[in-house]
Amino acid sequence: MARNGERHYETVIGLEVHAQVLTASKMFCGCSAHYADAPPNTHVCPVCGGFPGALPVMNRAAVEKIVLTGLALNCDVPAFSKMDRKNYFYPDLPKGYQVSQYDLPLCVDGFLELAVDGEMRRIGITRVHAEEDTGRLVHRREHGREVSLVDLNRSGVPLMEIVGEPDLRSPEEAREYLVALRQILRYIGVSSGNMEEGAFRCDANISVREIGGPLGAKVEIKNMNSFRAVERALRYEEERQRAILDAGDNVAQETRGWVEDRGVTVGQRTKEQAHDYRYFPEPDLPPLHVSAEMAAAVRERLPELPMARRQRLRERFGFAAADAALLTAEREVADIFEAVVGAEGDGERARTAANWIVNDISGLQRARGLPPEQLPLDVEQLRDLLDVVGEGALTTRAAKELLPEIAPGERPRDAAARLNLLALDDEAAVRDAALAAIDAFPAAVADYAGGKTAAIGRLIGETIKRTGGRAKPDQVRRLLEDELSRR
Ligand SMILES: [Zn+2]
C-alpha cells in the first residue's frame, strides 16, 4: 500500500517459476539431462531432436519429483492428469510444439508459507505442472559474420512450472517468495535452483490499482536473471504504472522485458499480439494416473522443510530468527550443524557450533568460492574443532588462525599440532610473556594500579600476542593479576 498524492495504490503481483527438474535422463527419452558441459548437440536422439514418428516415453522420476514439489507446496494431487501440446514455432523447438500441461496439471491448489515482518503469510500456489525444456540458440561471429546456431542438448530436459496466485503485495515480498520457493526445491532435491544457469527462471505479473478500485491491467515482465533483478524490475514497473494512473491514463496490458544494464522494462508485445498456442491433448502419451498409493509413497520422501526446521531449532536452542535462517538456508549445512550438536547437545554447544558456521566457516567458504551447500569442514572436523577448543587445548583465537590451514580430511587437533598452535601448557612460558608485557607497557600497569582495572585488557592482549595466540586468556588474566598485585 502506498500513498501517492491523494491516491492510495495497491500493488498486486503473481509469479510464474520455471524450474528444471533434477533427473538423470530427459523427460521423454533416455538422453542424459546433464548438458551443461557437453559439446553442442551430443545429447540428442530422434525423440528430443523432434524427428517425425519418434515416440516419447514419460520419465517416471520426473513425474515423482514434480508430485513431491506439489506436496511440499501443500497442493492436491488429482488422480487424473494429462499432457498437452503447446504449439508455436521457434528454431530451438524442433517439433513445432512443446509438450506441457493445459487444463489438468499434476498438482493444484497449494500454498507457500512466508514470514513477512515477523508475520506468517500464505501465498497461494495455483498449480505445478510438468513440461519439457526447449533447445538453445547460440548467437556468435563465425567466419566474419553473425550466425545463429541451434544446440538441442537442453531440448526435452524435464521442467516444471510453478504458478503462484496474485497474493504478493510488494517487490520485496516477491523476492522473499522466490527465495523461500527455491530453498524448498533445493531441500527436497528436485531442482538445483540455479538462476544464473537458467535452471530457475521467473516471469512476473504485476498490476497497480487504486484501493477499492477495479483490478488494473496486468503487465507481464520477462527476462529477469537474478532475485535482485526481479525485485528491481518490479519496483520499476510499480512506479511506472503509478505514474500512468496519476496522470489519469490507463495502463496497457502487455508483455515487457527487463533490461538489466539500463534498469528499465520495455514493451515487447501487446494483448493483440499474444500467442494462440492452440493447446490439444498430446496423442503420443497416455494420461497420467497418480494413485493414492503413489502419492503416499512420494509423500514418505518429503523431508522436514526449511520453515519447520527453523522453528524447531529456534524452539530448541533459543536462536534469533536471523541466525536460524542462516543455519537452515541450505539443507546440507543444517544437517552438519545438527550432527555436530547431536541429540544430547545443549544450548551452549549449539550456540558455539552455530557461531562457527555462520561466521568464520561461512567466511572461509565464500573465500574459497565453494557452493553454498558445501562447507569447508565436514561433520567430524567441525566436531573435533569444537572439542579441542572446548577442552581448552586450542584457544579461540588460535582456532580462527588454524581454520584455513586445515587440510581436507585432517583433524583440526592434528593440524594444530602440525602448525604448533596448540594452547601453551607451559605456565612458566606464559608467565615470561606476561612479565615482558608488563615491562613493555608501564602506562597500562600504572592505570591498573590507579584503579582502572580495565587496563589489564591491554596487557592480556599483549601477553597472548607474545605467545603467538596460544596462551589461554583466563590463565593469562590470572597470572597478570597475580603479578600486578605483588607490585
Ligand atoms: Zn533424446
Side-chain angles (χ1 to χ4, degrees):
M1 199 185 304
R3 197 188 155 88
N4 229 359
E6 286 306 301
R7 295 163 184 257
H8 297 259
Y9 291 121
E10 178 181 49
T11 301
V12 179
I13 298 169
L15 300 181
E16 290 170 12
V17 167
H18 283 90
Q20 278 180 354
V21 184
L22 283 173
T23 52
S25 58
K26 292 187 180 181
M27 194 64 152
F28 305 118
C29 62
C31 293
S32 167
H34 302 279
Y35 60 87
D37 301 319
N41 297 308
T42 53
H43 293 188
V44 189
C45 73
V47 173
C48 59
F51 285 40
L55 288 173
V57 177
M58 195 82 180
N59 181 334
R60 187 186 174 95
V63 173
E64 288 176 353
K65 288 195 165 176
I66 295 167
V67 169
L68 186 67
T69 305
L71 294 173
L73 296 172
N74 307 292
C75 289
D76 294 332
V77 182
F80 186 85
S81 171
K82 69 173 171 67
M83 305 305 293
D84 299 279
R85 286 188 185 182
K86 178 181 181 181
N87 300 279
Y88 69 97
F89 171 79
Y90 205 69
D92 65 8
L93 188 72
K95 295 196 294 278
Y97 60 83
Q98 180 187 27
V99 179
S100 179
Q101 296 197 284
Y102 182 52
D103 54 342
L104 295 170
L106 271 171
C107 313
V108 296
D109 292 337
F111 63 86
L112 183 155
E113 275 189 310
L114 210 56
V116 178
D117 299 329
E119 248 178 72
M120 294 301 271
R121 289 249 290 123
R122 274 188 182 187
I123 309 302
I125 302 288
T126 317
R127 57 190 278 164
V128 182
H129 74 242
E131 57 185 39
E132 58 176 334
D133 213 337
T134 62
R136 279 191 300 183
L137 289 184
V138 181
H139 307 283
R140 66 177 183 217
R141 262 190 101 73
E142 254 182 35
H143 308 299
R145 58 196 183 113
E146 301 292 334
V147 294
S148 293
L149 306 167
V150 183
D151 176 8
L152 294 181
N153 282 348
R154 197 179 73 176
S155 171
V157 165
L159 206 59
M160 58 183 160
E161 182 169 341
I162 302 162
V163 182
E165 290 285 304
D167 290 342
L168 299 161
R169 289 294 170 269
S170 71
E172 298 74 27
E173 210 172 282
R175 183 191 179 126
E176 290 293 312
Y177 167 88
L178 284 180
V179 169
L181 177 60
R182 178 177 177 275
Q183 208 170 63
I184 290 172
L185 300 189
R186 285 171 63 82
Y187 253 69
I188 64 177
V190 297
S191 179
S192 72
N194 192 319
M195 238 175 158
E196 287 71 32
E197 286 171 10
F200 187 91
R201 306 163 218 159
C202 171
D203 298 330
N205 289 301
I206 172 169
S207 65
V208 172
R209 65 171 168 192
E210 257 188 274
I211 289 180
L215 271 175
K218 202 164 72 173
V219 170
E220 183 176 17
I221 313 177
K222 292 182 172 289
N223 202 29
M224 301 164 290
N225 298 320
S226 66
F227 292 133
R228 185 166 170 268
V230 172
E231 192 178 339
R232 284 179 71 205
L234 287 170
R235 190 168 299 131
Y236 174 87
E237 191 58 26
E238 187 177 49
E239 287 302 317
R240 190 187 71 87
Q241 294 187 20
R242 280 183 192 165
I244 291 172
L245 296 176
D246 273 343
D249 292 332
N250 292 318
V251 174
Q253 181 171 336
E254 61 177 338
T255 299
R256 298 176 70 85
W258 170 245
V259 185
E260 177 77 28
D261 47 5
R262 286 169 53 207
V264 299
T265 62
V266 295
Q268 288 181 330
R269 59 169 190 257
T270 61
K271 195 181 173 189
E272 286 69 35
Q273 298 160 295
H275 290 304
D276 177 2
Y277 293 115
R278 206 173 58 89
Y279 281 96
F280 64 84
E282 166 60 58
D284 290 341
L285 287 166
L288 290 161
H289 294 277
V290 181
S291 65
E293 293 75 35
M294 179 181 164
V298 173
R299 193 183 287 278
E300 287 286 303
R301 284 156 45 188
L302 210 55
E304 183 181 33
L305 296 176
M307 180 74 80
R309 194 167 201 178
R310 265 197 287 284
Q311 277 164 354
R312 182 169 57 77
L313 292 186
R314 290 192 66 184
E315 279 163 24
R316 182 173 165 200
F317 299 119
F319 286 146
D323 286 343
L326 281 170
L327 270 182
T328 55
E330 298 291 337
R331 184 182 173 183
E332 294 81 352
V333 173
D335 286 348
I336 288 183
F337 166 77
E338 294 214 61
V340 164
V341 174
E344 305 297 314
D346 58 11
E348 190 176 341
R349 173 88 167 176
R351 273 188 297 280
T352 311
N355 256 327
W356 275 102
I357 291 176
V358 168
N359 298 308
D360 294 85
I361 295 177
S362 293
L364 181 63
Q365 178 190 37
R366 281 191 297 275
R368 288 192 181 161
L370 292 170
E373 71 277 12
Q374 195 185 329
L375 290 183
L377 295 193
D378 63 23
V379 173
E380 290 308 319
Q381 287 176 311
L382 183 53
R383 194 177 279 150
D384 187 63
L385 183 72
L386 294 186
D387 287 346
V388 72
V389 173
E391 291 159 13
L394 184 67
T395 65
T396 302
R397 183 182 143 151
K400 285 173 191 264
E401 200 181 312
L402 172 72
L403 189 61
E405 310 298 333
I406 301 170
E410 186 181 28
R411 291 205 321 162
R413 194 179 298 271
D414 299 338
R418 172 169 64 81
L419 295 163
N420 196 27
L421 284 170
L422 286 172
L424 217 48
D425 260 342
D426 183 352
E427 180 157 324
V430 179
R431 190 179 290 276
D432 285 347
L435 289 172
I438 286 170
D439 284 346
F441 293 92
V445 174
D447 283 350
Y448 183 80
K452 289 187 192 161
T453 51
I456 200 171
R458 177 75 195 261
L459 297 170
I460 292 173
E462 278 304 320
T463 305
I464 291 174
K465 201 164 148 190
R466 279 157 200 271
T467 62
R470 295 164 60 216
K472 301 174 201 169
D474 44 353
Q475 185 188 32
V476 171
R477 175 182 288 275
R478 181 170 55 74
L479 288 173
L480 279 168
E481 282 172 351
D482 182 41
E483 271 312 316
L484 294 169
S485 70
R486 289 198 258 129
R487 289 179 183 233

